[in-house]
Amino acid sequence: QVQLVESGGGLVQAGGSLRLSCAASGRTASVMAWFRQAPGKEREFVAAIRRNGGNTYSADSVKGRFTISRDNAKNTVYLQMDSLKPEDTAVYYCAATLRGLILSTIWQGNAHDYDYWGQGIQVTVSS
């Protein structure tokens, strides 16, 4: 069992930055990830990180702007979002799995691979 609580969302102007946090409790997840869903759009993969924190994966849409990191001492995963664009506006969800996902599966970014989810947090980027 893994419980996830997101924080750090809000409103920011284009070009600004936000850092999302996902505090986890229960068992230590093998892989944790961020997804996002804009109104009327499908939920999409943003980034993922393995337990050791040394392997990260980012979607092309955010590569170079967003950075995922993990602090196992605090059992927390972060998403640092820089150079934000209006199209980044969405509800952002933290997700976790106890399964050891292989590389190709992580890159596919399928939400069904993750068993535990946070409640979601709003990020709004104004132009």
Side-chain angles (χ1 to χ4, degrees), residues 51-62:
R51 179 175 178 173
N52 64 10
N55 299 292
T56 62
Y57 315 88
S58 300
D60 289 341
S61 60
V62 305

Side-chain angles (χ1 to χ4, degrees), residues 18 47 68 94 101 108 111 118 122:
L18 284 174
I68 188 170
C94 181
L101 301 181
Q108 290 172 2
Q122 179 70 45

Side-chain angles (χ1 to χ4, degrees), residues 39-80:
K41 296 185 178 180
E42 299 177 3
R43 186 169 299 187
E44 66 173 339
F45 171 77
V46 176
I49 188 168
R50 291 192 184 275
R51 179 175 178 173
N52 64 10
N55 299 292
T56 62
Y57 315 88
S58 300
D60 289 341
S61 60
V62 305
K63 195 166 296 182
R65 300 187 298 118
F66 291 11
T67 303
I68 188 170
S69 61
R70 185 169 185 168
D71 185 343
N72 287 336
K74 297 181 179 180
N75 208 12
T76 300
V77 170
Y78 305 95
L79 184 68
Q80 178 67 44

Side-chain angles (χ1 to χ4, degrees), residues 9-33:
L11 186 149
V12 65
Q13 291 193 10
S17 298
L18 284 174
R19 188 177 76 161
L20 304 183
S21 298
C22 176
S25 60
R27 294 216 269 164
T28 301
S30 176
V31 182
M32 297 186 68

Side-chain angles (χ1 to χ4, degrees), residues 36-44 86-91 93:
R36 67 185 183 185
Q37 187 166 22
K41 296 185 178 180
E42 299 177 3
R43 186 169 299 187
E44 66 173 339
E87 51 263 42
D88 295 318
T89 296
V91 176
Y93 296 90

Side-chain angles (χ1 to χ4, degrees), residues 1-6 22-29 32 75 94-96 98 115-119:
Q1 185 79 278
V2 180
Q3 297 81 42
L4 306 172
V5 180
E6 302 105 330
C22 176
S25 60
R27 294 216 269 164
T28 301
M32 297 186 68
N75 208 12
C94 181
L98 298 174
D115 304 309
Y116 305 97
W117 294 84
Q119 80 284 356

